[in-house]
Amino acid sequence: MGLFSSLSEKITNIFSKLTRRGKLTESDIKEAMREVRVALLEADVNYLVVKQLISSITEKAVGEKVLKSLTPGQQVIKIVNEELTAIMGGTNAKLNVASNPPTIILMCGLQGAGKTTMCGKLGLNLRKQGKKPLLVACDIYRPAAIEQLQVVAKSINLPVFEKGTQDPVKTSKQAIEYAKQYGYDTVIIDTAGRLQIDETLMNELKNIKAAVGPTEILLTVDSMTGQEAVNVSEEFNNQLDITGVILTKLDGDTRGGAALSISQVVKKPIKFCGIGEKMSDLEPFYPDRMASRILGMGDVLTLIEKAEQAVSQEEAEKLEKKFRENSFTFDDYLSQLENLKKMGGIQNILGMLPGMGALKNVQVDEKQLQKNKAIIQSMTPKERNNPEIIKSSNRQRIAKGSGTTIQDVNQLIKQFEQTKELMKQMKSKKGFGKMPFNIG
Amino acid sequence: MGFFKNLFNGLKKTKETLSKKLSMIFGRGELTDDFFDDLEAILIGSDMGVQTTEEIIDDVRAKCKKSHIKTQNEFTEILKQSILDILESGVKAEEEYPMAVLVIGVNGVGKTTSIGKMANYYKQQKKEVMLVAGDTFRAAATNQLVEWANRAKVKIVKQNEGTDSASVVFDGLTSAKAKNMDVVLIDTAGRLHVKENLMEELKKIDRVVDKTWAEVNYKKYIVLDATTGQNAISQVKYFNEAVGIDGIILTKLDGTAKGGVVIPIINELHVPVVFIGVGEGIDDLRPFDAKEFVDAII
């Protein structure tokens, strides 16, 4: 579900009270801020960061402008939203590219943050952008770490440079030479996980940095990290002057307050986030979207973008016309199902919609959609276009062909007719836009 | 004594900051609201969570009032006792042999490493130990476990990467049963607790253990990373719901992380901490002792 859904629910509740009352008093703000404070703390935002945040927001919110405005609740939401966005860096930060190749990316972080997997994801992402990446195995401590990088790299067809358990400083130097010689324009160096207080290992990183002069030093942080996120990022930054952060495991249900803490403390941009186990599960980090999520406004921007990727403008217009003329057929229904799948499935979409937090535990049955798909595919083209002609003997055939029961077929046809009926009623309302939400 | 020193060093940072902060806020004398606000920040700052922190503070505040606390030492004792009460409410898992331990948890918490250390721990207690390489998903996970088996000089059952985890577990338990092993430690792939399909896979593994060796003392331990925040509660809840959890292994306590999140977990779910990991060496694992833990953090 939505990355920060639990937190967004809470803040939405608080502000819905304010919004309903319309006017905002100083004590309202105080009450809301107490709740915001608890919500942020429960989301693992560092308590010192929360303290700063609350005082700066209160200061802004108790201004004349807010009290005089017509919708004070919205004003406060806007202020909190802007504050969170600003703390997380304002806009999406891109990777720096070396003017003189190769671009060298040094990965660092605690044990188990997900560095090795992230090396693979980053490599794949950069190759898709036309780069030629080389991965370098410098974790000589954890058993089988080098092999893990090799297996990861092999699965996405990227080369790995490794020199066994030789000194990582030496290995990384040789890797850069190798990259120059063989035309790799991007070098990603995987390093061993280490504690920020481990002097020996932190020195090793400093030495690698001095030896190769990385373009990017990216701290990989587990998004489930608690209060400790502040100490970790601060110390890595002090020692290495990192250039950015990557958040991993954001596909869990963590509220991810660490993102806020880290941004506030080290003032370095979060550049990417890991959102799944597949190598392609990497997304750029957008502070404004994350802030919207925190505030319960849902991740509408991401949703729109996904819809745009899944449904072409032309297709959307054609569909809208069909909605208007009420000539929607099973074939259209089928292509809608495909679009949904392209957008990451219903669960995923619900998570991005505002106010859908309450549906968090509702199980959307994706299997049912699969079933529907099978049923439609077992209809003849003629039947798909004119569902009215489907007689009971036809239904038997369709059930058999799709491995379902006649009840399933009946239910789908009934559902389809109801949907059409609904559309007829909605015809007067304007535009379904590009959102293919009217699915069964 | 090596063990002890490691735990102490591991937790020293935590201890220093906490007691330093305590003496700072205590220096002002009176136990005012400000004092308790600062105490709240300290406890929340060690990942104890808002609710449990409030409960602890209410408890401590009431006790302080009742017994007219004057000195920092008296106060510290009351605070320690309050936390200790929570920690000891976890129901201990009994260690009878033969025993099979299914080690589960989210990605990157240190499952494989913990198994390596546990193998060594039981081996030193003269138990016959076998490892089962049930993580067939993560790249090179099996090789990592093989390395640990070599280090601890114990047996291991494995198959190729990508094979069905449940089938490796079946093989392992069948073999362990036939060879009269005392302790079987089963590694599993890291999985986020909200991924339903992966949790289904875990339930299948769980059923296989039950069926393959019904008589074994079967325990399920979840591994938690001490740096994790409140999400650890969610992790324990989901895994507990899926297969039932008998204990917690708390890892990475050698950093500055406090592992304080186990306190709300035990407070809410009464699952005991069994082992703690305090370093990367094979000896850096020890049975959890609630009193020692509290003494070490406050």
Side-chain angles (χ1 to χ4, degrees), chain B residues 76-96:
Chain B
T76 308
E77 278 317 304
I78 285 182
L79 179 61
K80 277 185 184 176
Q81 190 57 49
S82 180
I83 296 173
L84 197 60
D85 287 345
I86 295 176
L87 286 176
E88 284 177 342
S89 73
V91 189
K92 264 254 151 21
E94 75 282 8
E95 296 220 333
E96 282 167 13

Side-chain angles (χ1 to χ4, degrees), chain B residues 36-102:
Chain B
F36 284 106
D37 279 353
D38 288 344
L39 180 63
E40 184 195 29
I42 292 171
L43 298 184
I44 287 177
S46 19
D47 290 314
M48 291 190 204
V50 177
Q51 201 193 328
T52 298
T53 293
E54 272 171 17
E55 282 175 41
I56 293 173
I57 286 180
D58 286 348
D59 184 51
V60 169
R61 199 195 277 262
K63 282 179 185 157
C64 284
K65 213 170 173 184
K66 214 167 136 195
S67 42
H68 306 284
I69 292 307
K70 286 273 164 351
T71 70
Q72 186 184 341
N73 278 347
E74 286 171 329
F75 174 80
T76 308
E77 278 317 304
I78 285 182
L79 179 61
K80 277 185 184 176
Q81 190 57 49
S82 180
I83 296 173
L84 197 60
D85 287 345
I86 295 176
L87 286 176
E88 284 177 342
S89 73
V91 189
K92 264 254 151 21
E94 75 282 8
E95 296 220 333
E96 282 167 13
Y97 307 96
M99 178 169 76
V101 182
L102 185 67

Side-chain angles (χ1 to χ4, degrees), chain A residues 307-362:
Chain A
E308 277 171 354
Q309 279 170 9
V311 191
S312 70
Q313 180 71 33
E314 207 179 321
E315 212 179 319
E317 276 164 14
K318 223 167 82 189
L319 201 64
E320 209 186 325
K321 192 165 166 248
K322 289 197 160 184
F323 278 143
R324 270 202 310 274
E325 293 167 357
N326 207 22
S327 59
F328 191 68
T329 67
F330 268 120
D331 266 331
D332 301 320
Y333 187 100
L334 200 62
S335 70
Q336 292 288 76
L337 283 182
E338 292 299 325
N339 288 339
L340 263 181
K341 213 163 143 198
K342 273 191 247 167
M343 288 167 69
I346 289 212
Q347 284 283 7
N348 221 337
I349 293 167
L350 281 181
M352 286 188 266
L353 285 175
M356 287 294 174
L359 286 177
K360 203 170 63 176
N361 293 319
V362 173

Side-chain angles (χ1 to χ4, degrees), chain A residues 192-232:
Chain A
R194 65 202 72 213
L195 290 165
Q196 78 277 13
I197 51 167
D198 187 328
E199 240 172 87
T200 320
L201 286 184
M202 289 305 282
N203 279 334
E204 178 193 279
L205 277 181
K206 283 190 210 166
N207 292 337
I208 295 178
K209 180 185 172 182
V212 303
T215 328
E216 288 271 10
I217 303 175
L218 298 176
L219 176 66
T220 308
V221 183
D222 185 328
S223 61
M224 295 179 275
T225 309
Q227 300 284 321
E228 183 68 2
V230 163
N231 296 330
V232 173

Side-chain angles (χ1 to χ4, degrees), chain A residues 37 41 44 47 111-112 142-144 147-148 151 195-196 224-228 249 251-254 277 363, chain B residues 40 44 47 107-108 137-139 143-144 147 192-193 195-196 227 229-231 234-235 252 256-257 280:
Chain A
R37 174 178 172 276
L41 285 174
D44 290 323
Y47 69 98
Q111 291 91 343
R142 182 161 57 92
E147 211 195 325
Q148 186 186 346
V151 176
L195 290 165
Q196 78 277 13
M224 295 179 275
T225 309
Q227 300 284 321
E228 183 68 2
K249 307 177 205 173
D251 46 333
D253 63 344
T254 179
E277 304 223 350
Q363 285 306 319
Chain B
E40 184 195 29
I44 287 177
D47 290 314
N107 316 61
F137 178 77
R138 181 166 59 92
N143 286 49
Q144 190 183 346
E147 179 61 36
L192 284 177
H193 46 293
K195 306 254 159 149
E196 229 173 292
T227 30
Q230 301 308 294
N231 191 254
S234 181
Q235 293 170 20
K252 308 186 195 177
T256 51
E280 295 201 300

